[in-house]
Amino acid sequence: QVQLVESGGGLVQAGGSLRLSCAASGRTLIGYVMGWFRQAPGKEREFVAAISWSGGTTHYADSVKGRFTISRDNAKNTVYLQMNSLKPEDAAVYSCAADSSGTMKHYNYWGQGTQVTVSS
């Protein structure tokens, strides 16, 4: 089993930055893809970013490209999401997820999420 715990959310003004962290425990994430997703009130959960085990491959939603950066520190079993130039529409609960298949398509472990609020 893998447990994921997010942190780093909070309230920020539009144009500001936040860095989210996702710490994994239970087992090492060798070969796992890690992703970030978000869900705003009344909306479906949407993909934000993903990163391969090596960190050599990343994918981003078009809405965050150029503003968000996903990274990981495998020695610490931690994944990060650096969010810059935040917009009010970025406000949501951000959750990290782990994909044991390594395909970026089948996330089977999820964290509880951390709230990000962006004031205009």
Side-chain angles (χ1 to χ4, degrees):
Q1 277 289 51
V2 175
Q3 291 80 43
L4 304 173
V5 179
E6 302 92 339
S7 62
L11 172 64
V12 64
Q13 287 188 331
S17 299
L18 281 176
R19 188 195 195 202
L20 305 183
S21 299
C22 172
S25 62
R27 62 175 296 169
T28 56
L29 301 178
I30 296 175
Y32 281 52
V33 164
M34 297 298 295
W36 284 97
F37 293 77
R38 67 187 183 186
Q39 186 168 20
K43 295 187 177 180
E44 294 188 354
R45 183 172 61 197
E46 63 174 354
F47 168 78
V48 175
I51 187 167
S52 62
W53 160 251
S54 68
T57 300
T58 56
H59 289 294
Y60 296 92
D62 288 343
S63 58
V64 307
K65 280 181 182 177
R67 300 187 298 121
F68 290 11
T69 303
I70 189 171
S71 62
R72 67 192 294 168
D73 184 338
N74 290 333
K76 296 182 178 180
N77 251 13
T78 301
V79 179
Y80 305 97
L81 184 68
Q82 177 68 43
M83 305 186 295
N84 298 329
S85 302
L86 282 161
K87 304 175 181 179
E89 52 263 42
D90 293 318
V93 174
Y94 284 71
S95 300
C96 68
D99 171 2
S100 61
S101 74
T103 63
M104 295 190 177
K105 295 179 180 179
H106 302 291
Y107 292 89
N108 44 346
Y109 298 102
W110 293 84
Q112 292 298 307
T114 185
Q115 178 72 51
V116 171
T117 303
V118 183
S119 63
S120 57

